[in-house]
Amino acid sequence: MSQDAANEAARAPSVGELTPPDRTLMGPGPSDVHPRVLRAMSTPLVGHLDPSFVEIMDEVQELLRYTFRTDNQWTIPVSGTGSAAMEAAIGNVVEPGDTMLVPTNGYFSGRMASMARRAGGEVVAVDAPWGEPLESDDVADALAEHDPDVFGFVHAETSTGVLQPDVTELTAAAHDHDALVIADSVTSLGGVELRVDEWEIDVAYSGPQKCLSCPPGASPLTLSDEAMEKVLSRDEDPRSWYLDLSLLEGYWGDERAYHHTAPITNVYAIREALRLVAEEGIEQRWARHERLAGALKAGVEAMGLEMNAPDEYWLPSLNAVRVPDGIDDGAVCNALLEQYDLEIAGGLGDLAGEIFRIGCMGHSARPENVIYVVTALGDVLESMGAAVDPGAGVTATRNALEE
């Protein structure tokens, strides 16, 4: 070997075998991935236009329709994370000059507004405090005042632990003003009740890493015929070529024409994750999340902690728990990682430092995980001087699981 070659070899990075820690994921996402999904990801690749992969695409679309509770033809997994599905929804439906009405009640409604502005839309707000749902009367008033082309709302707000009630009242009011409705269902799809067709939602997007317990990379999106008609009749192309649904229609529609190389392994993964949803039954899955999250809620309340959201709009898949006085939420999260290999998260935006965000989603929503997070959280908080009763929390959780 020449000296130059030897020097080049010496500069090559030395990286060992991949050995990530074995965490229990009970934060706002990702959630624990089901072993069957991991096995599906280890199967051989085929081409993204291979006839066998086209069959898989058909199966994924049918499974997504079942999970969204929709008959929408235009139901696909977007190649990318949940934010890619979000941008595909907003960036295609909102045209330059359109007005989009968005709420102010959480971090992800703010992201909706940002994406609408980047799409050339004018954003107007319906006001609601962080940690509270939208009031249907306030939405109706804002619709009457602004007459928007598009109305967006977050069904399950990951930043606050709030589940939006009265969805049909919101969609009916929007349709009275001929506005299309976009719903953020990132933390609700596959975890809490969501009925796209029955609730007359025009566009819904989600992420696979929450209640579907699938690695990010292929993200659910569904559009009604009316919404897709608006997309296909635009005067100006969307600003993203990659997420242009009029082009993706050629790949995911009947033609199956090349647009991009799909993330094949991620499509395998979401297919298996959605198979698990269908095997369990969507309504049974909703009930499981509510039962197990209810046991988690019973435990943290019995311990002496307070939920951020009242019972009437509590979000089972993401439990926002108030941080006790004098406690540093970041220190608690770090201690849980270091001592228990357990992930939860702190608050975002207006609620930074004020809440813990504890997920109970998908494969993570299991009795042993619920007991574990209550036990570990109580231990860490007590060690930091918080006024909690860990034993009472564990007992309440156990009793709730046994009922």
Side-chain angles (χ1 to χ4, degrees), residues 118-138:
R118 287 171 179 253
E122 177 188 351
V123 172
V124 293
V126 52
D127 291 330
W130 277 52
E132 295 185 15
L134 297 177
E135 294 288 344
S136 55
D137 288 346
D138 292 340

Side-chain angles (χ1 to χ4, degrees), residues 128-151:
W130 277 52
E132 295 185 15
L134 297 177
E135 294 288 344
S136 55
D137 288 346
D138 292 340
V139 172
D141 290 344
L143 287 163
E145 178 181 356
H146 300 291
D147 196 27
D149 303 281
V150 181
F151 165 59

Side-chain angles (χ1 to χ4, degrees), residues 29-116:
S31 59
D32 288 341
V33 176
H34 196 286
R36 277 175 45 182
V37 175
L38 294 175
R39 285 198 298 271
M41 296 182 74
S42 69
T43 54
L45 291 186
V46 296
H48 59 286
L49 295 173
D50 189 294
S52 66
F53 190 67
V54 170
E55 290 182 16
I56 290 169
M57 293 166 70
D58 290 338
E59 292 166 347
V60 169
Q61 289 181 279
E62 193 59 31
L63 288 163
L64 278 175
R65 291 184 187 104
Y66 170 76
T67 306
F68 271 123
R69 310 310 297 132
T70 185
D71 292 325
N72 288 341
Q73 177 185 354
W74 247 94
T75 304
I76 67 169
V78 175
S79 299
T81 65
S83 292
M86 182 181 195
E87 191 142 32
I90 295 170
N92 281 272
V93 173
V94 176
E95 300 181 64
D98 278 356
T99 299
M100 181 171 178
L101 179 66
V102 297
T104 61
N105 63 337
Y107 184 88
F108 292 98
S109 56
R111 185 173 293 184
M112 269 189 163
S114 178
M115 289 184 179

